[in-house]
Amino acid sequence: MLPRIPGVLAAKPQAAQLRNIVANLMGSRGTGFPGAQPISFARDHIHELQRENYFVSEKADGIRCLMFSTTDSNGRGETYLIDRHNEYYRLDFGLPIPGRRGAFHYDTILDGELVLDVYPDQKQVLWFLLFDCMAVDGKSLVERDYMKRLGYLKETILKPYKELMSQDKNYAAVQPFRMDLKPLQLSYHLQKVFEDIPNLKHKSDGIIFTSSVARYYTGTCEKMLKWKPANENTVDFRIRVVGDFSQPEYALELWEGRDEYSEFGMLTLEPELEQSWARSPPENRIIECRYDPSWPGQWRFSRWRDDKQHANHRSTYRKIMESIRDGVDEQELLNSAPLIRSKWKDREREAATGRV
């Protein structure tokens, strides 16, 4: 179940103004969605984990959003969630500045994911799990390494936020979700991440590796690696309805950039979906399909992805297929952990020797 993005959708003139502010803070050339996008894990990436220090976390199956928090002309805090469509949703709270009672951060950009936890008694709790900090009070952090950005996130953002949440009932009452740092482990502790996944209250469809020494990259990021088990590999396609609308067929399309799409193949539906799709053909909607080599066309409908503006780019599809062909499974990853740890410790010793 994907959560709903809370907040009030910003009007077009205001959203355009906000996009320009965010683009300037991020150093983006354009005003499109500026979030970093991971690439699919391939066999060569095992060597990458040996060469460079990475963090690892579970890959929550939620809605990716950036957060832009600022103040209005009267100093009141206001916050916006930015979805993949690059739409801005206004929330009526600010992020407190440590040591300054009643003051809120301005021109601050964070990265995270909306996740809906569902408990055994069916209670639902919406979380915004943060994992990066790209700007604080008008100061861009994108050129700094991930370790330093995490330091800002923990000390400058989350620590005062949690303190205010515990001290001010009125502030806590207007929060549309709970916020916390997404749990991170050093890359060679990936077994801990795998062990924790079954105990999560939300769906997780893999793990994410993030370089601890890399800057933040807008768009495709070679330093963020997403690994999924074979049965969780998915591609987002756009649907184009072909043929007679009384007996429609559905072509799958991949994004080629800008507003251009190219045909990939035809989708075969499960019989129980055929009637509902025929009643309301999903022209131009984005769908997520899972890989199934035994299915006609190899791709089966999984769910709607109306939270996404575009299907996957053809280059992303190629990388996903490379990941599928490589077939790095969970046990192979776990087997690589001792060497990843050994190489990490070698770098630590070399750095310590260099300081002396």
Side-chain angles (χ1 to χ4, degrees):
M1 181 187 302
L2 288 176
R4 182 185 64 84
I5 299 177
V8 177
L9 188 64
K12 288 184 178 181
Q14 184 188 22
Q17 183 180 19
L18 292 169
R19 290 185 190 111
N20 285 323
I21 295 172
V22 169
N24 288 333
L25 288 169
M26 295 287 292
S28 301
R29 295 180 180 178
T31 57
F33 179 73
Q37 305 293 340
I39 62 172
S40 295
F41 195 93
R43 186 167 299 278
D44 286 346
H45 289 131
I46 292 178
H47 300 293
E48 171 71 8
L49 297 178
Q50 296 168 8
R51 289 190 297 265
E52 192 168 302
N53 294 352
Y54 275 74
F55 286 107
V56 62
S57 63
E58 61 98 5
K59 183 182 177 298
D61 192 12
I63 296 181
R64 169 76 177 287
C65 291
L66 301 187
M67 175 180 280
F68 176 62
S69 195
T70 192
T71 55
D72 63 18
S73 57
N74 296 313
R76 289 191 295 263
E78 58 182 21
T79 295
Y80 298 85
L81 289 183
I82 311 169
D83 68 7
R84 290 177 182 265
H85 294 283
N86 212 23
E87 299 287 359
Y88 284 65
Y89 295 79
R90 188 181 186 279
L91 306 169
D92 289 321
F93 72 92
L95 298 177
I97 295 177
R100 293 175 56 188
R101 185 175 180 85
F104 296 95
H105 287 294
Y106 65 93
D107 290 0
T108 293
I109 307 174
L110 311 174
D111 203 344
E113 190 157 26
L114 276 174
V115 173
L116 189 65
D117 275 3
V118 181
Y119 292 81
D121 62 359
Q122 299 307 305
K123 177 184 177 182
Q124 297 182 358
V125 178
L126 185 63
W127 288 88
F128 191 57
L129 298 180
L130 294 165
F131 50 77
D132 215 325
C133 178
M134 295 87 81
V136 174
D137 297 334
K139 179 171 66 176
S140 176
L141 305 177
V142 295
E143 297 287 345
R144 305 197 181 195
D145 65 54
Y146 190 36
M147 288 287 289
K148 290 185 175 66
R149 301 197 309 271
L150 280 178
Y152 274 92
L153 179 58
K154 293 175 183 178
E155 295 300 318
T156 309
I157 304 298
L158 281 171
K159 185 176 179 180
Y161 164 80
K162 290 181 179 181
E163 289 175 353
L164 189 58
M165 284 285 288
S166 65
Q167 297 168 3
D168 189 333
K169 292 182 179 180
N170 292 328
Y171 181 79
V174 300
Q175 301 302 305
F177 41 64
R178 300 181 187 179
M179 282 203 306
D180 207 344
L181 180 70
K182 187 177 183 180
L184 298 169
Q185 299 287 341
L186 304 182
S187 57
Y188 53 82
H189 289 314
L190 58 93
Q191 182 169 350
K192 168 67 173 169
V193 178
F194 279 124
E195 289 173 349
D196 288 345
I197 287 176
N199 300 319
L200 297 172
K201 299 298 188 292
H202 56 264
K203 188 175 184 295
S204 178
D205 58 358
I207 59 177
I208 293 279
F209 294 96
T210 305
S211 170
S212 69
V213 297
R215 57 157 289 167
Y216 190 93
Y217 290 94
T218 294
T220 301
C221 178
E222 302 284 337
K223 295 297 183 177
M224 289 180 67
L225 316 172
K226 63 177 179 181
W227 175 91
K228 292 184 177 184
N231 64 327
E232 292 284 359
N233 274 291
T234 61
V235 169
D236 298 327
F237 295 101
R238 189 174 77 169
I239 286 291
R240 183 168 58 84
V241 181
V242 297
D244 188 343
F245 267 65
S246 64
Q247 291 183 319
E249 294 182 310
Y250 308 100
L252 298 173
E253 296 183 326
L254 288 168
W255 186 40
E256 298 291 352
R258 298 183 182 273
D259 293 322
E260 298 180 8
Y261 278 80
S262 62
E263 188 167 320
F264 169 80
M266 301 301 293
L267 176 67
T268 300
L269 285 176
E270 284 84 348
E272 60 269 21
L273 294 177
E274 290 179 350
Q275 288 188 0
S276 62
W277 280 43
R279 286 194 296 270
S280 181
E283 179 74 4
N284 291 334
R285 286 183 72 178
I286 307 299
I287 64 169
E288 182 179 309
C289 294
R290 65 186 184 277
Y291 179 71
D292 183 349
S294 66
W295 189 255
Q298 299 185 328
W299 296 98
R300 303 178 70 169
F301 173 78
S302 180
R303 60 177 174 173
W304 306 107
R305 293 309 304 258
D306 294 326
D307 59 309
K308 294 193 173 183
Q309 183 176 12
H310 289 291
N312 284 142
H313 194 275
R314 185 169 291 276
S315 62
T316 302
Y317 165 77
R318 287 195 291 265
K319 289 176 181 177
I320 292 171
M321 291 308 299
E322 179 184 352
S323 178
I324 291 172
R325 287 192 298 269
D326 277 357
V328 179
D329 60 21
E330 179 178 331
Q331 191 57 53
E332 189 170 359
L333 272 181
L334 292 173
N335 291 343
S336 70
L339 186 54
I340 292 171
R341 183 183 187 278
S342 175
K343 296 291 187 181
W344 186 306
K345 296 302 179 182
D346 286 345
R347 287 189 291 274
E348 284 185 342
R349 284 190 291 270
E350 290 171 3
T353 302
R355 284 196 297 270
V356 174

